[in-house]
Amino acid sequence: MTSQPPVWRAGLALAAVALAVAAGAELRRLQASREAAFDWLQRTGAGLDAAALDREPDPERVRLRTARAVLAAELAPERSGGLPPEQAARAAAERMAETARVGAEVLVRRPASWEAAEVLGAATYIGWAQARDPRLFTAYRRWEEPLAAALRLAPARREPVRFLAAAYLEVWPALSPRKRAVARGLLAEIFRSPEDRGRFLGPWLDRAAGVRDALSLLPPDPAAWEQAAATLAQRGDWTGYDVARRQAEEALLAALARDLVTADRLRSAGALGEARAFYLKVAQRARPEVRFLPLLQQALERCPPGPVDGPTSERLAPHLAQALDRCQWAGCQMEPAALKRLSRFVRGQQPPQEALAALYAGDLPRAGLYERRTQGLGTPSWGPYLLAKARALAARDRVDEARDALSLVHTSWQQRPLYWQAAAEVARAAGDTMALAQAQARLAALARRSWPATAWTWSQGTARLELVAAAPAAGLAVAFDSLPANGAVGELRLDGAGLGSFPLRPAAGAAPVLRLTSPLGRGLHLLEVAGAQAGEVAPGAVELR
């Protein structure tokens, strides 16, 4: 007698058949979804790699991915395809209605899909906006709520916050105070990303109550404020540029102070390599200005020993140039040890600068070594070093050596006030009353209360004026003979110390004049003007006030 198969075996067989049928149906559904997607992409002209759809194992994911491609294509600038505006708007509305319908259908089946919610809200918004459909305002919840849901479902994703913020900016006049507060919160988050700042800062500046209101949403990040300053400069808003630039400086000072504390902690913990990286970071990011000098000096003095790479050396070079210039005109503010360290970090210097750095660092033997390695100390490039050497030797009562150094100075320097200042100091140290009287007479002859535009010289994009004040002054007035048509910002320094950045605008019929309250003592000073963000800024006549 043949035994019958157990019931469970029959059940398994039926289940296997059912699974096979279901799998086949799902496969046919997936294939149909892909075919429909390709047809949709072809009709709308949206671009999407076919392989990307082939990799999707889920029909709903195929539809959703296609909908996102259609949505992205709609935002392309050339989307109209040359159609008349009304016809292009109707076509866009139809495409977006179809896209929104797909988003809604997928969202019903996948309530947790932030992508489906975003597609629904974004497509609805774009379609209504392009068609100038009044429902954009009367039925705003139909686009706003899906976008807000996408934001809730995927708080870490950038797409939902970007699109909702962009939508709020476009309909800003129609927003209630509460919605504007929500939009400001979204924008504050947007502005944490450099890429997003570049896209949203301009439109936000157009919508905000003013520049200060717009800038209030920026994070305390120097890069954010510098980006804002650049945007304002491109718009010709020089007052706003100055506000953003000043805030960038404050943010950078605070950031560098924090980095210096971090470096100190790492050094105390014995992590010298990490500490060194932070110290060098502070030194590189500091600006070559007096306000940053304490941070720069501390970073240089505390940095563990070791070489620096080429890019670091290049970024430190402006600090060395500024420090040496400051020593020449107003006395060294950087400690000799820090200056020596800085000069060792900056590679590839010319021998005159190497010697000058060694001299101001108090290392006369090393400075003399550079002298002996060169041919022809009487060239113009050696002028600053020889003048500094003469003054240093005179201060040490090494008068004969000081006179020898002064005798080697190139004739092009012997017409400049810095030469006669050094000559007076050497003569005073030597007790040579005749030479002292001659030097003082030459300085007096160079002293003025005003200077013509032709007195300016240029060095590496910065205008420089060597002036000898005939008497103490409360300030000065600087005319500007050449400015870009939309204005610029002039950055002024006196004896190496920053006076500030000032908006400059062309004046009809006359050169604009900048009047500054900055006391000057009698004697030699160096005034510098650098153009910021807007090309060449050419200063003109200068008058003491």
Side-chain angles (χ1 to χ4, degrees):
M1 180 177 180
T2 305
S3 61
Q4 296 295 322
V7 175
W8 63 270
R9 289 185 180 179
L12 285 177
L14 290 173
V17 172
L19 286 173
V21 170
E26 186 66 20
L27 184 60
R28 288 191 296 273
R29 184 165 169 259
L30 177 60
Q31 188 59 36
S33 179
R34 287 172 178 165
E35 291 175 0
F38 290 132
D39 177 64
W40 190 12
L41 291 172
Q42 188 174 13
R43 284 190 290 107
T44 59
L48 182 61
D49 185 6
L53 291 182
D54 289 339
R55 288 193 296 268
E56 290 290 352
D58 178 1
E60 300 301 335
R61 288 292 308 167
V62 170
R63 300 183 73 204
L64 190 56
R65 188 156 191 163
T66 308
R68 286 172 63 83
V70 173
L71 184 62
E74 198 64 39
L75 299 175
E78 67 281 1
R79 185 54 177 155
S80 66
L83 296 175
E86 291 186 5
Q87 187 176 348
R90 285 195 300 271
E94 292 174 2
R95 288 192 297 270
M96 290 298 95
E98 184 178 6
T99 305
R101 184 169 60 254
V102 170
E105 291 171 356
V106 174
L107 190 60
V108 168
R109 299 186 180 94
R110 308 282 172 83
S113 173
W114 70 269
E115 292 175 290
E118 184 189 44
V119 166
L120 172 58
T124 302
Y125 177 89
I126 293 172
W128 289 357
Q130 291 186 343
R132 301 184 182 276
D133 192 319
R135 289 179 296 174
L136 188 68
F137 304 101
T138 60
Y140 65 89
R141 288 188 177 86
R142 288 178 58 182
W143 60 262
E144 182 188 48
E145 289 182 355
L147 290 172
L151 188 59
R152 288 193 304 272
L153 291 167
R157 304 288 301 200
R158 302 297 296 176
E159 295 94 325
V161 68
R162 284 174 186 153
F163 200 94
L164 189 54
Y168 280 148
L169 280 177
E170 287 193 351
V171 299
W172 186 265
L175 292 182
S176 66
R178 184 181 70 82
K179 286 292 175 62
R180 289 190 178 188
V182 172
R184 291 172 68 90
L186 294 175
L187 289 167
E189 175 60 31
I190 284 284
F191 291 147
R192 294 182 181 278
S193 162
E195 180 184 354
D196 291 342
R197 280 198 301 270
R199 298 154 112 189
F200 283 82
L201 188 55
W204 169 232
L205 285 167
D206 293 333
R207 294 301 192 186
V211 172
R212 292 187 181 276
D213 177 52
L215 298 181
S216 67
L217 300 187
L218 293 182
D221 177 4
W225 288 96
E226 289 167 1
Q227 193 171 2
T231 300
L232 290 162
Q234 291 170 0
R235 297 162 71 96
D237 186 346
W238 300 111
T239 302
Y241 166 85
D242 187 47
V243 170
R245 189 179 180 280
R246 289 175 186 272
Q247 190 58 44
E249 184 172 293
E250 297 299 327
L252 182 56
L253 282 166
L256 295 183
R258 291 192 298 269
D259 286 345
L260 192 61
V261 171
T262 301
D264 289 342
R265 288 174 178 168
L266 289 168
R267 189 183 63 171
S268 298
L272 299 184
E274 295 177 63
R276 191 169 191 276
F278 268 94
Y279 284 126
L280 290 176
K281 178 183 176 184
V282 171
Q284 292 175 81
R285 296 184 68 200
R287 292 178 179 167
E289 298 171 7
V290 173
R291 291 190 70 193
F292 289 83
L293 185 59
L295 289 168
L296 172 64
Q297 183 163 293
Q298 292 175 67
L300 291 170
E301 291 173 342
R302 301 173 190 175
C303 183
V308 299
D309 58 24
T312 299
S313 174
E314 290 178 9
R315 286 190 285 269
L316 293 177
H319 289 294
L320 181 60
Q322 179 68 11
L324 296 179
D325 218 28
R326 181 76 173 166
C327 287
Q328 197 106 43
W329 293 95
C332 291
Q333 290 192 327
M334 185 177 289
E335 293 296 326
L339 183 56
K340 184 176 183 179
R341 193 76 181 281
L342 178 59
S343 67
R344 296 288 179 86
F345 282 155
V346 179
R347 304 197 298 266
Q349 302 174 68
Q350 295 299 313
Q353 190 181 35
E354 292 269 21
L356 189 61
L359 180 67
Y360 282 131
D363 193 346
L364 266 67
R366 184 164 172 256
L369 181 64
Y370 289 111
E371 284 189 52
R372 292 190 293 274
R373 289 178 178 174
T374 191
Q375 295 287 333
L377 291 176
T379 60
S381 62
W382 279 96
Y385 167 74
L386 291 170
L387 291 173
K389 180 183 178 182
R391 296 174 69 181
L393 291 171
R396 292 167 171 80
D397 291 326
R398 295 163 60 176
V399 176
D400 291 340
E401 294 174 78
R403 283 173 169 165
D404 288 342
L406 205 58
S407 69
L408 294 173
V409 176
H410 191 267
T411 55
S412 64
W413 279 89
Q414 294 178 18
Q415 309 303 316
R416 298 170 66 171
L418 200 61
Y419 173 85
W420 292 107
Q421 184 185 62
E425 293 180 20
V426 172
R428 189 178 292 111
D432 188 339
T433 56
M434 185 177 296
L436 178 59
Q438 181 189 13
Q440 289 175 336
R442 293 298 297 266
L443 283 171
L446 293 171
R448 290 180 178 43
R449 291 197 60 83
S450 62
W451 293 263
T454 54
W456 290 92
T457 60
W458 288 85
S459 174
Q460 298 180 349
T462 297
R464 295 161 63 96
L465 175 64
E466 300 173 9
L467 57 89
V468 181
L476 63 159
V478 183
F480 287 86
D481 292 347
S482 177
L483 290 172
N486 63 339
V489 165
E491 184 180 350
L492 274 72
R493 293 192 294 267
L494 181 64
D495 297 331
L499 298 178
S501 298
F502 304 92
L504 303 170
R505 296 180 178 84
V513 177
L514 180 63
R515 293 176 172 81
L516 300 172
T517 301
S518 180
L520 286 84
R522 183 195 307 272
L524 180 59
H525 300 278
L526 176 66
L527 180 65
E528 297 174 284
V529 177
Q533 299 290 338
E536 185 180 31
V537 175
V542 176
E543 183 177 359
L544 299 184
R545 300 170 58 202

